[in-house]
Amino acid sequence: MNYFFHIIIMINIYIVLTVSSNLLVGMTNLLSLGQAAFYGIGAYFSVLALTTLNLPLIPSLIVAMLATGVFSLLLALTSLRLKNDYFVLSTLGFQIITFSVLYNWISVTKGPYGIPGIPAPKLLGIFQVSGIIPFLIFSTVMSLFTIFIFYYLINSPFGRLLKAMREDELALITLGKNITSLKIQTFAISSSFIAIAGFLYATYVTYIDPSSFNLDESIFILSALLIGGLGNIKGPVVGSIFVILLPEILRFVGLPDSIAANMRQIIYGLILIILMRFKPEGLAGNYRIK
Amino acid sequence: MSKYILKINDLTKSFTSDKDKSPLLFDSLTIEFPAGAVIGLMGTNGAGKTTLFNIISRLVDCDKGNIWYDNGDKQIDLLKLKANVLKGIGIGRLFQDNHIFADMTILDNLLIGGEDSFGETPFITLFKRKKHKEKEKIRVAKAKMILTELFGKDNYFWQNRNNYASELSYGQQRLLGIARLLMSDHKLLLLDEPTAGVHPEIREMICEVIRKINTSKGVSIIIIEHNFKVIEVTADECCFIDQGEIAAVGPPEDIIGNPIVRKKYIGI
Amino acid sequence: MLLIQLLINGIIMGAVYSLASLGFAIVYNTTKIFHIGYSALYMIAPYFFWQLYTKLGLNISLSIFVSIILTMIISILIDKTIYQPLFIKKSSSNVVTISSIGVVTIIVNVIAMIFGNETKILNSDIANTIKFSGMIVTYPQVYQFISSIIIIIIFFIVLKKTNLGIIIRAFSNNDVLVQIMGINILRTRLLLFGISGIMIAIAGLSISYDVGMDPYIGMPMLLNVIVAFIIGGIGSFAGPLIGGFFIGVIQALTIWMFSSKWQSAITFIILIIFLIFRPQGFLGKKEREV
Ligand SMILES: Nc1ncnc2c1ncn2[C@@H]1O[C@H](COP(=O)(O)OP(=O)(O)OP(=O)(O)O)[C@@H](O)[C@H]1O
Ligand SMILES: [Mg+2]
């Protein structure tokens, strides 16, 4: 049973990651290879808030979200003028630099040794969110919260602007809208919600190290999103469920562990290629990336 | 002192940084557009009409010059502004190629052109749901009104408002573009070939609309056209651009009768 | 003294970067494909060599030759099966980039599944060295430098003196012109991918012969290659040379001033500085407006 709960918690974490990333990739057509960097920044700031600052759950979460939002502005300001491949490249750069700092700035981040023993966050001064059932509830609440927020955003006039922007920036400019500020807002919102996933991950696993937030993880998040599909809520949710369940299914059909990990990656790669060729909007999305 | 809406002063533009190699598209172009009038802008293909619009609407930079815009209480040099603030001071633009949001519904296309931007700040609709609903209702009502005004009751656009704009024909997309412009009030409209590719009947209707916007609301309009008839019907004054220079200015009849213009256009 | 030694190493590494980014440039300048699959080719060449030389016991020159040819074939196959169908469908650049990520994921994991994750050593002898006035250069380094320079020179001779060179130059200036000249674009692309595959295979072999390889060496190399390519200047073929040596020397200086662990961060900080202030790189032409 615990195993089953664990899967659901992981799905919840990835729902937060992909639903938030969808705002950037799916609604704004900004392909980012830096999502794991935000995830990591969120996780490390969560730990900072929980341990050094000794804050309870909600304030820690807010600290992590704000901090990640601020970092996203760094990337936004440098990369927003860039188009297509150049933009992807700048997010890649952000990913590499962030990882390198997390890995090498040992006096602050403990580098490759990681930070163990992350304490259970305290909620309202009474509850300790620790143990699998409380975490199941906590992560489900957070993923539903994220879904709710982004559903609203996508279907508000703000979401309408984003849809217009990903289609025709020029027309939108002459209609008096500020493209740069729109993109910055998307960056900030998307990444600060990714920080929630960082918080969940850090407090659930109670240990973080930079390897959970490297380029491969960025690619993984992106794959989950693209496999599920862009532009709506259903896509990312389907994608998250898919990428988390697939390894379990492979294990279930009796693939030896030694090749299961590689096999899984190969399948993701194949699916990406096939989807891009025949169904760029993904399994359940409604937008084809341009 | 003649009152103008737009005064272009000494405008110079070339398309490469290498000035020796490529000829200037505009070399010290100077021209004044009177306020409250419909001005036709004619010229052969590649004369620089669209580029002039692009410079005015700040989508393309120029090398030198000023563009003075009369904003009621004061004169503004447009070249000092960013493209996205032009709508705020009353300048609207219709593109030569349909810049329609094809993967959005017809209605959403119109709503985006709306005057009031409530709800475009993220999260605000979460906290002010009632206000949001009201504002949205007002916008939709306005869209309906404009469509009815333009195309009559039970028009195609309103009936299919929840269809994607990509399903519209080219001509219909042009019309949608015009309707989108009308969703908010302007002082100056830049229309780049509004009647290109539309049915003669609809062309007449567009001409009517242009006249109506001009007379009833006093909006100044600059309209690029290749069609003599449209110019004749709509324009108070006309201006012929040839190779980046103003070749002739005057009432439409004169321009259309002008031998240089006739030679350029019909070859006689 | 140490500085000079480091600079020598940096220049040797720079030669390899130059070669590798030249191969990247051949693809990007002509097809505008952000060829992330290139990283897999860098890694796969030494694995071919390892199989042929260490496992099957073929002689060394034959092993080198065959592994270069095999890598070239894979490069061509990637274009034929993955990129060309997308080109024909006029897919967007982001779609191509994502497919390219899929390619890397598949190849890397296939190799990992077959050969394992651990580092493989190609040359277990203690490397012979050349010493002069206190500086040390190892034989593998000599091979790296000389093979890179020779290939680069050959390429430029081809580029300047042959019909193929004319086609490549025409191709990289303007697709339409090529069509007018009556050249079969799809077939020419295969040729270009072949050349590019040969170049990266040689880079991969010469480096791995020195330091060994694992399935994951491709991505870090690709990152350096891309940075060298961008700061050299997109669209030109001399750009990658300048960029390659520049990155090599910068990395040497990074070791001198900080430590080798900051190499990737510094490399990408330089990239980002370029993207902001001189996106066309050292030699690239400024993009025209709108
Ligand atoms: N982005 C650009 N880069 C280089 N040259 C350009 C660019 N845009 C326009 N031009 C050139 O400037 C000239 C004027 O173009 P413009 O689009 O303004 O013509 P136009 O008068 O609107 O013609 P048409 O009646 O065909 O619409 C043309 O010769 C065109 O080739
Ligand atoms: Mg034009």
Side-chain angles (χ1 to χ4, degrees):
Chain A
M1 208 57 196
N2 276 1
Y3 165 75
F4 181 68
F5 291 154
H6 166 75
I7 304 269
I8 296 189
I9 292 172
M10 288 317 287
I11 289 178
N12 281 330
I13 292 177
Y14 275 88
I15 286 179
V16 175
L17 285 171
T18 51
V19 168
S20 320
S21 300
N22 176 49
L23 195 72
L24 198 61
V25 184
M27 299 306 296
T28 323
N29 202 42
L30 293 170
L31 186 65
S32 164
L33 281 175
Q35 297 309 88
F38 295 129
Y39 185 27
I41 293 171
Y44 275 85
F45 271 98
S46 302
V47 173
L48 178 85
L50 286 168
T51 57
T52 316
L53 305 180
N54 205 7
L55 293 174
L57 191 151
I58 293 177
S60 307
L61 198 52
I62 292 173
V63 166
M65 289 175 75
L66 286 179
T68 314
V70 169
F71 273 92
S72 79
L73 295 184
L74 269 182
L75 174 57
L77 293 176
T78 53
S79 64
L80 281 182
R81 295 180 310 137
L82 307 169
K83 292 235 153 59
N84 297 333
D85 297 338
Y86 285 87
F87 176 82
V88 178
L89 199 56
S90 67
T91 61
L92 180 65
F94 181 73
Q95 172 66 46
I96 303 286
I97 293 167
T98 305
F99 177 79
S100 178
V101 169
L102 292 181
Y103 195 88
N104 293 320
W105 197 12
I106 293 174
S107 57
V108 174
T109 64
K110 306 255 170 45
Y113 315 111
I115 305 176
I118 296 164
K122 285 191 280 295
L123 184 60
L124 306 173
I126 343 168
F127 302 111
Q128 287 256 352
V129 186
S130 73
I132 194 127
I133 302 281
F135 246 99
L136 182 69
I137 298 169
F138 177 45
S139 65
T140 309
V141 168
M142 291 323 286
S143 82
L144 288 179
F145 172 67
T146 310
I147 287 176
F148 169 77
I149 291 284
F150 281 90
Y151 180 80
Y152 247 84
L153 269 185
I154 291 177
N155 292 295
S156 73
F158 175 69
R160 190 158 66 208
L161 280 192
L162 296 185
K163 282 180 207 156
M165 180 168 68
R166 74 187 178 189
E167 277 196 49
D168 195 332
E169 295 191 0
L170 224 51
L172 200 59
I173 292 172
T174 58
L175 292 173
K177 313 297 179 191
N178 187 336
I179 302 283
T180 318
S181 121
L182 260 182
K183 285 185 183 167
I184 290 175
Q185 289 171 22
T186 343
F187 252 107
I189 295 169
S190 163
S191 55
S192 35
F193 274 82
I194 284 182
I196 295 182
F199 186 94
L200 286 173
Y201 180 83
T203 50
Y204 175 55
V205 182
T206 72
Y207 167 82
I208 52 170
D209 74 86
S211 69
S212 310
F213 313 110
N214 58 13
L215 178 59
D216 288 339
E217 179 65 21
S218 262
I219 293 178
F220 184 66
I221 297 170
L222 199 60
S223 309
L225 176 58
L226 290 164
I227 289 173
L230 300 171
N232 55 12
I233 299 292
K234 209 164 75 190
V237 172
V238 168
S240 306
I241 296 174
F242 182 88
V243 296
I244 299 296
L245 283 189
L246 181 71
E248 309 307 326
I249 294 169
L250 289 184
R251 192 177 305 165
F252 192 72
V253 298
L255 214 63
D257 271 354
S258 56
I259 62 163
N262 295 130
M263 204 58 207
R264 180 176 93 211
Q265 298 286 338
I266 293 171
I267 293 174
Y268 296 146
L270 269 176
I271 295 178
L272 272 190
I273 290 175
I274 292 170
L275 283 178
M276 285 305 115
R277 170 100 59 96
F278 300 106
K279 205 171 183 300
E281 71 274 25
L283 296 176
N286 64 9
Y287 176 67
R288 309 172 153 224
I289 190 159
K290 283 199 208 90
Chain B
M1 192 194 87
S2 72
K3 195 139 165 47
Y4 62 87
I5 183 82
L6 209 59
K7 189 159 105 184
I8 295 174
N9 211 347
D10 201 20
L11 186 80
T12 303
K13 166 81 190 163
S14 73
F15 265 112
T16 44
S17 46
D18 195 351
K19 297 216 170 47
D20 310 325
K21 269 194 189 158
S22 84
L24 296 171
L25 180 56
F26 298 120
D27 192 0
S28 315
L29 182 78
T30 300
I31 182 173
E32 220 176 276
F33 296 104
V38 180
I39 298 130
L41 200 57
M42 299 182 75
T44 47
N45 293 119
K49 305 178 297 294
T50 301
T51 307
L52 185 61
F53 270 16
N54 280 340
I55 294 174
I56 297 173
S57 38
R58 299 297 294 116
L59 298 176
V60 166
D61 283 326
C62 68
D63 306 331
K64 207 176 91 194
N66 322 89
I67 299 179
W68 293 103
Y69 171 72
D70 181 44
N71 191 24
D73 46 349
K74 67 174 192 236
Q75 320 289 318
I76 307 175
D77 186 357
L78 293 184
L79 297 180
K80 299 223 164 64
L81 302 180
K82 285 222 166 90
N84 62 308
V85 303
L86 295 190
K87 188 199 173 197
I89 56 172
I91 301 180
R93 162 94 189 255
L94 179 75
F95 287 96
Q96 181 171 4
D97 33 358
N98 292 330
H99 280 267
I100 282 292
F101 306 114
D103 276 346
M104 293 170 73
T105 63
I106 293 175
L107 184 60
D108 275 347
N109 264 282
L110 291 172
L111 297 185
I112 276 205
E115 194 81 70
D116 174 51
S117 62
F118 180 83
E120 291 174 1
T121 315
F123 305 122
I124 191 124
T125 53
L126 271 174
F127 302 112
K128 302 196 166 170
R129 297 173 62 171
K130 219 166 139 206
K131 185 169 178 195
H132 165 57
K133 281 218 172 98
E134 274 165 27
K135 292 274 183 188
E136 197 76 352
K137 239 189 214 151
I138 296 174
R139 282 188 204 123
V140 174
K142 173 135 198 203
K144 183 175 182 186
M145 190 188 83
I146 281 168
L147 289 177
T148 319
E149 238 175 56
L150 283 179
F151 314 113
K153 253 184 140 182
D154 301 327
N155 61 74
Y156 179 86
F157 292 96
W158 178 252
Q159 279 174 357
N160 298 289
R161 60 186 177 278
N162 291 323
N163 287 7
Y164 286 110
S166 55
E167 294 165 16
L168 295 172
S169 75
Y170 174 83
Q172 286 173 321
Q173 291 189 4
R174 287 221 70 74
L175 297 176
L176 182 60
I178 295 176
R180 186 174 70 186
L181 265 185
L182 299 183
M183 281 294 289
S184 42
D185 293 331
H186 295 96
K187 280 197 248 168
L188 170 66
L189 285 180
L190 308 169
L191 308 178
D192 201 340
E193 305 194 15
T195 70
V198 300
H199 188 267
E201 232 169 70
I202 297 181
R203 183 184 314 147
E204 264 164 43
M205 198 190 75
I206 293 179
C207 291
E208 230 171 83
V209 171
I210 292 172
R211 285 255 50 115
K212 203 157 96 193
I213 303 170
N214 174 248
T215 47
S216 67
K217 295 184 185 161
V219 179
S220 313
I221 297 174
I222 306 177
I223 167 173
I224 296 180
E225 259 301 338
H226 289 298
N227 189 313
F228 286 172
K229 263 212 197 106
V230 174
I231 293 285
E232 235 167 354
V233 182
T234 59
D236 302 310
E237 231 190 274
C238 186
C239 165
F240 187 79
I241 301 190
D242 185 28
Q243 296 179 348
E245 283 184 25
I246 308 290
V249 192
E253 311 85 71
D254 293 4
I255 298 297
I256 292 167
N258 187 315
I260 308 173
V261 178
R262 294 202 82 87
K263 191 161 167 43
K264 286 278 174 196
Y265 261 92
I266 344 182
I268 45 161
Chain C
M1 223 44 196
L2 176 63
L3 177 62
I4 297 175
Q5 176 71 56
L6 286 172
L7 283 177
I8 290 174
N9 294 350
I11 287 170
I12 293 172
M13 207 50 213
V16 182
Y17 288 155
S18 297
L19 173 67
S21 29
L22 195 55
F24 189 83
I26 291 172
V27 168
Y28 191 89
N29 288 348
T30 53
T31 63
K32 297 287 169 286
I33 291 172
F34 208 67
H35 185 21
I36 297 178
Y38 196 58
S39 68
L41 302 173
Y42 174 80
M43 173 274 296
I44 207 168
Y47 273 97
F48 281 136
F49 178 80
W50 191 80
Q51 182 67 24
L52 295 166
Y53 180 67
T54 315
K55 274 296 181 66
L56 302 180
L58 258 58
N59 93 18
I60 187 158
S61 353
L62 188 62
S63 304
I64 291 174
F65 180 74
V66 174
S67 43
I68 290 173
I69 297 298
L70 288 173
T71 310
M72 181 191 84
I73 292 173
I74 304 255
S75 176
I76 291 173
L77 281 178
I78 291 176
D79 186 44
K80 183 81 193 161
T81 59
I82 312 287
Y83 298 151
Q84 288 202 357
L86 294 175
F87 172 74
I88 291 165
K89 276 184 73 177
K90 296 197 171 31
S91 294
S92 67
S93 69
N94 279 336
V95 165
V96 179
T97 307
I98 294 164
S99 307
S100 188
I101 292 174
V103 172
V104 181
T105 315
I106 293 175
I107 298 182
V108 167
N109 284 287
V110 168
I111 293 293
M113 211 156 76
I114 301 173
F115 294 97
N117 282 330
E118 64 283 355
T119 305
K120 294 231 181 313
I121 304 294
L122 289 176
N123 169 27
S124 48
D125 310 335
I126 301 289
N128 289 324
T129 55
I130 303 171
K131 293 201 179 71
F132 55 93
S133 51
M135 306 300 146
I136 300 175
V137 176
T138 66
Y139 268 89
Q141 281 185 307
V142 173
Y143 302 148
Q144 286 162 14
F145 189 75
I146 294 189
S147 60
S148 300
I149 297 296
I150 289 178
I151 303 291
I152 290 171
I153 291 172
I154 293 177
F155 174 76
F156 274 91
I157 292 173
V158 169
L159 190 68
K160 292 271 137 68
K161 301 265 152 129
T162 65
N163 274 343
L164 177 61
I166 295 174
I167 294 175
I168 294 177
R169 276 181 286 158
F171 216 136
S172 55
N173 284 332
N174 184 350
D175 253 357
V176 186
L177 193 73
V178 176
Q179 250 158 348
I180 293 169
M181 283 165 70
I183 294 160
N184 183 332
I185 289 191
L186 295 184
R187 206 135 11 103
T188 314
R189 277 174 62 132
L190 298 183
L191 190 62
L192 298 171
F193 271 85
I195 298 172
S196 148
I198 293 174
M199 287 178 164
I200 194 65
I202 291 170
L205 286 171
S206 68
I207 295 287
S208 301
Y209 184 72
D210 190 7
V211 297
M213 76 272 187
D214 64 48
Y216 309 101
I217 55 171
M219 204 42 108
M221 182 63 180
L222 178 76
L223 300 177
N224 290 319
V225 164
I226 292 175
V227 177
F229 171 62
I230 299 279
I231 69 178
I234 287 182
S236 85
F237 287 106
L241 306 189
I242 295 180
F245 283 105
F246 185 77
I247 291 298
V249 169
I250 287 285
Q251 292 186 343
L253 291 177
T254 306
I255 300 177
W256 169 250
M257 290 193 290
F258 308 101
S259 102
S260 65
K261 63 184 192 181
W262 290 108
Q263 269 182 359
S264 61
I266 300 274
T267 307
F268 270 87
I269 287 172
I270 287 176
L271 170 73
I272 290 192
I273 291 172
F274 263 83
L275 287 179
I276 297 171
F277 296 106
R278 202 176 158 79
Q280 74 271 32
F282 280 123
L283 294 185
K285 292 186 202 75
K286 214 170 166 200
E287 297 273 306
R288 63 181 211 182
E289 300 176 67
V290 177

